[in-house]
Amino acid sequence: MRSIWKGAISFGLVTIPVKLYSATEQRDVAFHQVHREDGGRIKYKRVCTVDGEEVSYSDIAKGYELPSGEMVILTDEDFADLPLSSSRRIDVLQFVEREEVDPIYFAKSYYLEPDAQGAKPYVLLRDALESSGQVAIVKVALRQRESLATLRVREGVFVLETMLWPDEVRAPEFPFLEEDIEVRKQELSMATSLIESMEGDFDPGEYKDAYREALQAVIDAKVEGREVARPAEEGAEEPAADLLSALRASVEAAKKSRGEKTGKAASGKGAPAKKPAARKTASSKSGEKKEPARSRGRKSA
């Protein structure tokens, strides 16, 4: 990874020099716009809508359009006078419980690495923050914009997560919120059963981007001159008669799916490769020695 910013965490009178890295990356398949006839890249010219002339990049300024259609032109000098912090500091403002910060505010995640001389105070603050179970609310200026952010610990590294400002989060003003919608007790009970039947530990490695994989397969097939294989379409399920029936069918399907997964896991564990005869004898002897330990385990249980 390549650092994209250098600065320091300012924590009281302690300053910790750090480097900033993007913690995430998009894995979308990238495309160019090309001419269908010969594959030539499509280029765009910057043309002024008033005089029709092509404009060089050095002559381009930022403009803010008013409701009347008039344009306010801002120059580099205008931006230079704005009160944006240029100290390259991550200022710690306060510490709060993690649950107090709604995830809807999070925008982008960054890793922070300490400079050589800042390793000890970095580790000190990291360990103290991790043991507290809290996150730090900080203020930082990145890419000509000041942002609130949180500072938390993940796998021994500080993660800086920039946040949206409160007025950037839209209010969910939907008509159904004002309606008096009745939910029957049986439906609520069945929906709760469905949630319980689908509970499990979150492992992101179990999921994949099927669309990206299929798209990459199409590209690979075209490169190799092969026919593109299309995946078989899943049969459409018949709609349930009512909501309660749909929930009940979903619970049964979830239980069946979980049972199949459990069965596969159990069959995989219960079918080890055959061992040589010598090892069988050794294992049986060790099993006889361990018999008292197993009985003690049952008593303690």
Side-chain angles (χ1 to χ4, degrees), residues 14 24 75 80 83 96 126 133 146 163 186 192 195 259 262 291:
V14 179
T24 59
T75 65
V96 301
R126 179 200 67 187
E146 193 170 64
M163 299 168 61
Q186 300 96 318
T192 303
I195 292 173
T262 306
E291 186 61 28

Side-chain angles (χ1 to χ4, degrees), residues 242-256:
D242 56 26
L243 179 58
L244 192 59
S245 300
L247 289 169
R248 186 175 290 111
S250 299
V251 170
E252 294 302 320
K255 288 180 178 179
K256 182 179 178 182

Side-chain angles (χ1 to χ4, degrees), residues 125-141:
L125 178 58
R126 179 200 67 187
D127 292 350
L129 185 61
E130 191 168 28
S131 64
S132 73
Q134 296 182 315
V135 296
I137 302 297
V138 303
K139 186 179 285 189
V140 61

Side-chain angles (χ1 to χ4, degrees), residues 12 27 46 83 89 98 111 124 147 153 181 234 245 251 253-254 262 283 297:
R27 289 294 183 89
R46 295 179 289 269
R89 290 191 315 182
R98 296 173 185 173
Y111 288 134
L124 176 62
S147 298
V153 182
I181 301 174
E234 297 182 3
S245 300
V251 170
T262 306
S283 63

